[in-house]
Amino acid sequence: MASDDIAQLADALSKTHVGDGELSFKGLGLKLDDSESAAELLGKIEQYPGLRALRLEGNTVGVEAAKAIAKALESKDQLQRCYWSDMFTGRLRSEIPTALMCLSGALMSAGARLTELDLSDNAFGPDGVKGIEQLLRSPSCHTLRELRLNNCGMGIGGGKILAEALIECHKKSTAVGSALRLKVFVAGRNRLENDGASALAKAFQLMGSLEEIHMPQNGINYAGVMALASAIRHNPELQVLNFNDNTFTKRGTLAMAQALRHLRNIQVINFGDCLVRSEGAIALAAVLTEGLPVLKELNLSFGEITAGAALVVAQAVLDKPHMEKVNLNGNCLGEDGCDVLREVLDNVDKGDMLASLSEDEGEPDDEEDEDSDAGDSDGSDECYETGECEEIVKENGMNGGESPEKPQSQAEILSFLSHPSAEKLSHMKMNLQQEVNVSEPNKAAELFLKIGSLHSQDAEANAAVFEVIDGVLKKVLSASALQSHCFLTTLLVLMGVLKGEGKVKKVPLVPGQLLCLEHAVQQEYFTQDHASVLHTLLSRNGDALKSCSSAKDRLSSALEKKSHKYH
């Protein structure tokens, strides 16, 4: 080794931090190729009694050096925290698994009981996960509390290997009476995609101990998001959820919203750049109104959310005592929408809560809407026509439990829906009310519009219409806030007031439908919160109702009266 190299190494090692059981070589830029180049580092490790934490970040370790470091660690049975991120810069990818196996073997031989393992920024791919697989399955990781594997390029294969190792670790640790209780999981920028995320979701559900999950930028769409949603509801201590820059769309967001209803300790939600869109944002707002009592930060930036939906979110966070930051930047609010959003928060002295809106995309025009619909690659364009969304809602625990109708009743209902008439309505009031299932917002909204179309000047006929409308809406709006908000947004999508996701078959509007809504707004089952949501969305997107201007004005007046506390 050249004398200049030795001098540089000695100078770097002189900056080694020692204290509190921690030995740190962090950021020294050491190039450790073999035992000779690592000699002084090895000496410090060997001579450190009671070593509990070892920092090797920001250096580069070759296979031979890793073998030498491993030998030095074989006697360190008190080692608990390994901060080994960014440790293989400039190394061949094929070298890294061997180096990791050597270091892992040493930890297992020493009988170390790890609490933290950080291997972020090492770009080792699926083979690198194999390098730590045995360690993760071993008793050395039964005590693991934090696992950080950010930006490692694991891919789907690595995600599956990791998930299997965590599941095995949990099973083995449970068998000896001390179940693995992982609290922090970090695996952003790993190209896990749906299959990798779904595999990890099984591990998350089994452990049930997570407090933080960070999985941004993993190419996960609604299928993987739904799997993760099913898992997080089994982790009641969750405080931080970061899925930034994945693709939720409506289906994934609804599943995630339903899961959030089960969690009381969430403090940070980062669904930025996740395409939650307007319907998803309103669903999340519904969860905010009835839960998430300690939420501090909400990021819904760059999600194609329109102004009305953003205002619904803003109103939902107003009553959150711990809320510190709401990020709605990069959405589709338009200049006026941004101004109104700021005003809503400024009026209650919470303007500082709102993040910058400097990258707002502006209000979408019709041409952009068509392009967006055509570009959905996850199949969501069939959502309203096939009832697929309702199935998702049911799968995630929103089924109202109604029993299926008898075949003859179903036939009568289908006949009514195909050709509604006042005569049919009067003969099957009860069947129509029983047909409503709170877990099927699309069907309930279509039924409401069909019944509303029968509104007329005939007082007796209108009495029957209102009776059925009351029965239908009382059932739908008495459900959870999430279910009732899903119904209202679906209704507005079918009416053309709110842009839905994918190809939506809008219903031709007649004044009677709006007059039925006006009647409903005045009833006890139509709460102030329902009125506020509907009034907010109609006030921002009411042009779709201009063909029924008189009825629209009556509806708007009724909504304003009921939701006056917000305006």
Side-chain angles (χ1 to χ4, degrees), residues 121-139:
D121 301 316
N122 279 313
F124 46 53
D127 289 341
V129 185
K130 293 178 183 177
I132 58 170
E133 180 181 6
Q134 293 308 312
L135 172 64
L136 291 172
R137 293 174 181 265
S138 76

Side-chain angles (χ1 to χ4, degrees), residues 326-393:
V326 179
N327 190 345
L328 290 163
N329 197 19
N331 284 298
C332 306
L333 312 187
E335 185 176 348
D336 181 57
C338 289
D339 289 342
V340 173
L341 185 61
R342 292 188 190 99
E343 184 181 349
V344 165
L345 293 168
D346 283 340
N347 285 344
V348 289
D349 296 323
K350 293 189 177 181
D352 292 343
M353 180 192 299
L354 185 65
S356 168
L357 298 173
S358 61
E359 296 181 77
D360 186 71
E361 296 285 341
E363 295 183 63
D365 56 35
D366 292 340
E367 185 177 340
E368 287 173 344
D369 290 352
E370 290 170 8
D371 290 345
S372 175
D373 291 345
D376 280 343
S377 61
D378 63 4
S380 60
D381 57 338
E382 299 299 321
C383 187
Y384 281 92
E385 296 181 27
T386 65
E388 197 169 9
C389 286
E390 280 78 12
E391 290 305 313
I392 290 160
V393 168

Side-chain angles (χ1 to χ4, degrees), residues 237-491:
E237 300 305 315
L238 266 172
Q239 297 174 23
V240 178
L241 273 183
N242 177 7
F243 293 122
N244 189 284
D245 199 8
N246 291 291
T247 307
F248 282 27
T249 60
K250 177 183 175 180
R251 287 185 276 189
T253 311
L254 282 179
M256 198 61 73
Q258 176 61 19
L260 288 170
R261 294 182 65 221
H262 299 266
L263 305 175
R264 304 288 296 174
N265 296 300
I266 291 285
Q267 297 179 24
V268 178
I269 294 174
N270 186 344
F271 295 163
D273 207 6
C274 284
L275 278 186
V276 301
R277 294 180 170 147
S278 295
E279 291 177 274
I282 294 167
L284 292 170
V287 178
L288 279 165
T289 63
E290 64 178 1
L292 304 178
V294 295
L295 188 66
K296 293 181 179 179
E297 295 183 24
L298 176 64
N299 185 346
L300 297 179
S301 60
F302 299 93
E304 294 189 2
I305 299 168
T306 54
L311 287 169
V312 172
V313 172
Q315 290 168 353
V317 303
L318 291 181
D319 295 327
K320 294 296 165 188
H322 304 284
M323 185 64 72
E324 297 173 0
K325 185 176 181 181
V326 179
N327 190 345
L328 290 163
N329 197 19
N331 284 298
C332 306
L333 312 187
E335 185 176 348
D336 181 57
C338 289
D339 289 342
V340 173
L341 185 61
R342 292 188 190 99
E343 184 181 349
V344 165
L345 293 168
D346 283 340
N347 285 344
V348 289
D349 296 323
K350 293 189 177 181
D352 292 343
M353 180 192 299
L354 185 65
S356 168
L357 298 173
S358 61
E359 296 181 77
D360 186 71
E361 296 285 341
E363 295 183 63
D365 56 35
D366 292 340
E367 185 177 340
E368 287 173 344
D369 290 352
E370 290 170 8
D371 290 345
S372 175
D373 291 345
D376 280 343
S377 61
D378 63 4
S380 60
D381 57 338
E382 299 299 321
C383 187
Y384 281 92
E385 296 181 27
T386 65
E388 197 169 9
C389 286
E390 280 78 12
E391 290 305 313
I392 290 160
V393 168
K394 289 177 187 176
E395 287 171 11
N396 285 277
M398 291 170 64
N399 198 326
E402 291 81 357
S403 57
E405 291 292 317
K406 295 178 181 178
Q408 61 267 33
S409 298
Q410 283 286 2
E412 291 174 353
I413 290 165
L414 288 172
S415 173
F416 173 81
L417 292 175
S418 299
H419 303 285
S421 70
E423 183 180 358
K424 289 179 183 177
L425 181 68
S426 64
H427 284 99
M428 52 186 306
K429 295 176 190 175
M430 191 58 66
N431 279 350
L432 286 172
Q433 292 177 42
Q434 290 175 346
E435 165 71 2
V436 176
N437 187 328
V438 296
S439 69
E440 297 178 336
N442 191 55
K443 291 180 181 177
E446 286 181 345
L447 179 61
F448 171 86
L449 292 171
K450 293 285 188 183
I451 298 168
S453 69
L454 299 176
H455 185 282
S456 69
Q457 300 299 318
D458 186 296
E460 186 177 344
N462 279 348
V465 168
F466 288 151
E467 181 184 348
V468 181
I469 287 290
D470 288 339
V472 168
L473 292 191
K474 186 174 183 180
K475 190 173 185 180
V476 173
L477 297 179
S478 298
S480 71
L482 178 55
Q483 290 168 320
S484 60
H485 278 54
C486 281
F487 166 78
L488 291 174
T489 54
T490 302
L491 182 65

Side-chain angles (χ1 to χ4, degrees), residues 5 8-13 16 25-33 37-38 41 56-62 87 89 91:
D5 292 338
Q8 287 177 348
L9 180 60
D11 179 60
L13 288 171
T16 302
F25 302 95
K26 181 179 179 179
L28 297 183
L30 302 175
K31 190 172 187 296
L32 308 176
D33 296 321
S37 59
L41 179 146
L56 295 174
E57 311 104 303
N59 300 289
T60 176
V61 180
M87 201 172 73
T89 301
R91 302 294 171 182

